Each structure stands twice: as structure tokens, then as C-alpha cells.
Amino acid sequence: MIYRSKAPLRLGLAGGGTDVSPYSDIYGGAVLNATIDQYAYCTIEETKPGSIIINAADLGIKKNYPSQLALPVDGSLDLHKGVYNRIVKDFRITKPLSFKITTYCDAPPGSGLGSSSTMVVAILKAFAEWLNLPLGDYDMAHLACQIERIDLGLRGGKQDQYAATFGGFNFIEFYKDDRVVVNPLRIKQWIADELEVSMVLYYTGASRSSDKIIMEQQANTTRGKKLPLEATHRIKQNSYVMKDFLLKGDIVRFAKELGKEWENKKKMASAITNKNIEMIYEAAVKSGAYGGKVSGAGGGGFMFFTIDPVRRLDLINRLNKFHGRVLNFHFSDMGCQGWKIS
């Protein structure tokens, strides 16, 4: 049997950064996001006993290991190993498994679309299909967070795992003790269509590591540093405002709030923006964009902008003069999916 899965990447529309501990533990976080038709994929094939093969096809990395109950976490393919190790531990597997796992993602690492966390969810889903694991949506997202943040010690927030698992437009609230509430939004189709045709998603051409940015955000919260902390409070409040505008279909006011979100986001950590990002942003505004922001932690990856649809092509042509590329996308309603092939 062959077991496959796919999980959607997301656009962080508002509230990004408030889902990162310790801010979410102390003050509570709130984010607005939406999944798109870009995915992380995973295939698991049963093999003859004695070997584990991990193939990250998009990264060009393939490793062979003897079957064992705990794979070495050594900086290579740790997301895959972390999922396997945690499944063995939590579900009391006593005999080493033998399999080949192949993964790839539509977006590169460091894209700002949540690709790493989405990949963890996709791998978990494929294992759940294979081993018939009793994992509901909340269970899967929570386990994905624990694997990344606790088992592997990777810095970051919690929204990506929940977005990838649930799919669609969601307003997600984060509280202390890892309590998370996912509020699926009933966005009318014409509103989703209007937002989609009003947006341009642009890859800057530079991936980035979010680790240093997240570390600075965490330190600013812990120390109670006034300017970044106040900016994070405003970002959280803005997520509620933008959610209301989106539900009402007021895309222009939603778009203008996006610009305010970006101005506050830049105050959260020093490496969130840079000269290249500012040049791209300024060019977009001059082309008529109401506002925009970097998706994810910042520093590179994808940016997205909102504009009057009749001027959308002008913005695309202007962005094409830089060294990145515009990515066509559509919003996706479906969360992580898994299936079996005989």
C-alpha cells in the first residue's frame, strides 16, 4: 500500500507574531489567516524490513537509515525524523518500522507561507493514514506544534500548524497552557473572490531563516520592551478589526488596515524588513497598492499586496522589474487530506 497526504500553505493576513510564546501565554494571541492552493506533499511506502529511507525531493536530500525506534536528530531532515520519533513514543510502537517517505513542497523553505510547519502536518497525516492513528484536527495541529517547538526546539508560532490542518479562512485565538481556539469564518464566496482578485502574491527571491527574528521578538516580550510590545498589542487588536472588515466584504478598508499591520510589524524586530523589501513595497504603493506586508516572520520570502483589481496588472508589471516573481494563487477551503493507494 501507498499512503499520501497534502496540506495547504497559508497567508498570514493579520495578527502574525501574537501566536508566538511567551506573548501568547502572557497576553493571548489572535491571528487571521487563509490557506491557498500551494501545498506540502508526503508519500509513505511500506518497504522490506530493515530500512528507513527519507527523500526530501525538493531539497535534493535523500538518506538511508537502518530501521530503529529513534532516528538521530542531527540537523538533516529533522522534521521527518521528529515526526517519526514522536509517533513511536506517543503510540507505544515497540517494533521499528520500515518504510520510504518522500516529501516535497510547492514553496521553498523560508518562504513565509508556513512551509516547514505545513510539511510537519503533511507527514503526520501520512503516518496517521498508514498506522490508523486516532488524531482529530486539534490533536494533529497540537502534536505538530509540540514536535517543532518542544522536540526539535525550533522557534516560531503556532498558527501555521492549525491553518494547515483546518484549512480555509480562520480566526485563531491562542492562550496560555497551549489552549487554542480555531474559529472558521463563513466568508461568502463573492468576498473571497473579491479579495483574491484584489491581491498579488510576490516572491522576493530570497528565502530567510525566521529563527533570529523570532528570538528577538521573544526577548522583547520577556524584557517588556515598550516599542515592540506596544506594536504587538496593536497587531493583535488589528486582527479583530480586519476580521470584521473581511466578514462584511469591505475589502478596501481591509486592505488599508493591512498597511497599518505592516508598519507595526516592522517595530517588532529589527530584521523584519530590509532595503530590498522597502524598495519593493514603495514600488507597489506607487503602482496603486492600498497596502501590503511580508508574509510570515519577515526578512524575505513572500510579500502580498492589495489593490483595486482594475490596476492589478499595473502592479504585477511593476513588480516584475525586480528579481523575484509573482505567484498566481487561489484560496483553498480544504485542510490537510490523506488517502491510500493499493
Side-chain angles (χ1 to χ4, degrees):
M1 292 286 285
I2 298 173
Y3 306 87
R4 302 196 200 278
S5 66
K6 70 174 185 177
L9 303 179
R10 63 95 186 99
L11 289 180
L13 301 175
T18 70
D19 59 317
V20 177
S21 295
Y23 183 89
S24 58
D25 303 320
I26 300 171
Y27 304 102
V31 302
L32 173 66
N33 57 37
T35 48
I36 61 175
D37 59 348
Q38 299 286 304
Y39 300 91
Y41 302 87
C42 180
T43 294
I44 293 179
E45 303 168 74
E46 296 179 83
T47 61
K48 294 180 180 179
S51 70
I52 294 175
I53 303 168
I54 305 178
N55 178 25
D58 52 342
L59 303 179
I61 302 174
K62 186 176 182 180
K63 299 274 187 176
N64 292 358
Y65 300 92
S67 293
Q68 52 197 290
L69 288 175
L71 291 169
V73 176
D74 54 9
S76 179
L77 303 173
D78 284 351
L79 296 180
H80 305 67
K81 296 172 183 176
V83 173
Y84 172 73
N85 291 347
R86 187 60 181 263
I87 285 175
V88 168
K89 176 184 175 182
D90 282 10
F91 295 96
R92 301 178 182 178
I93 294 173
T94 57
K95 183 179 179 181
L97 302 176
S98 299
F99 58 92
K100 178 182 179 181
I101 183 169
T102 302
T103 60
Y104 59 94
C105 188
D106 287 332
S111 64
L113 300 179
S115 55
S116 296
S117 298
T118 302
M119 181 59 73
V120 171
V121 171
I123 297 171
L124 264 177
K125 185 66 173 179
F127 271 109
E129 287 291 315
W130 178 24
L131 303 174
N132 293 314
L133 303 180
L135 290 172
D137 288 346
Y138 274 101
D139 301 321
M140 184 166 296
H142 177 70
L143 185 55
C145 286
Q146 287 202 322
I147 291 169
E148 283 193 87
R149 305 295 170 242
I150 298 175
D151 298 356
L152 300 178
L154 301 174
R155 291 184 175 87
K158 304 169 189 171
Q159 68 161 311
D160 300 345
Q161 296 88 345
Y162 285 87
T165 302
F166 284 82
F169 286 86
N170 289 297
F171 187 76
I172 310 176
E173 298 168 290
F174 303 89
Y175 303 97
K176 65 180 180 179
D177 300 324
D178 278 338
R179 189 166 73 89
V180 179
V181 178
V182 178
N183 304 283
L185 301 182
R186 297 180 63 182
I187 304 296
K188 293 182 179 178
Q189 189 58 51
W190 74 264
I191 296 176
D193 290 341
E194 180 69 10
L195 180 62
E196 188 177 289
V197 79
S198 301
M199 294 185 75
V200 174
L201 183 59
Y202 178 76
Y203 182 55
T204 62
S207 62
R208 85 288 178 270
S209 172
S210 62
D211 190 71
K212 290 184 178 179
I213 296 173
I214 297 294
M215 186 164 50
E216 184 179 348
Q217 289 179 17
Q218 291 174 320
N220 289 337
T221 299
T222 302
R223 296 168 187 164
K225 200 170 181 180
K226 185 176 180 181
L227 185 62
L229 191 55
E230 288 180 347
T232 310
H233 290 332
R234 287 193 293 271
I235 284 173
K236 176 185 171 182
Q237 184 60 39
N238 204 47
S239 67
Y240 289 90
V241 174
M242 291 181 68
K243 178 196 69 171
D244 290 345
F245 286 148
L246 181 62
L247 287 169
K248 294 173 183 176
D250 196 338
I251 302 302
V252 173
R253 292 179 75 182
F254 173 91
K256 291 180 178 179
E257 288 296 325
L258 189 63
K260 296 179 183 178
E261 171 100 358
W262 173 237
E263 291 304 314
N264 283 310
K265 186 178 180 69
K266 290 189 289 184
K267 297 172 183 176
M268 293 171 66
S270 57
I272 285 176
T273 191
N274 55 47
K275 185 178 179 180
N276 185 52
I277 290 173
E278 290 299 319
M279 286 176 58
I280 294 169
Y281 192 91
E282 183 179 352
V285 171
K286 286 182 178 178
S287 297
Y290 298 122
K293 59 179 285 192
V294 173
S295 184
F302 277 90
M303 305 177 71
F304 60 92
F305 303 94
T306 47
I307 193 168
D308 186 328
V310 299
R311 301 189 64 184
R312 187 170 182 269
L313 191 58
D314 295 335
L315 174 56
I316 291 174
N317 290 336
R318 184 68 173 266
L319 292 174
N320 282 336
K321 294 180 180 179
F322 293 91
H323 298 295
R325 61 184 174 89
V326 171
L327 177 68
N328 290 321
F329 77 95
H330 302 283
F331 291 115
S332 170
D333 292 332
M334 300 298 292
C336 187
Q337 302 293 308
W339 62 96
K340 303 176 180 68
I341 302 294
S342 298

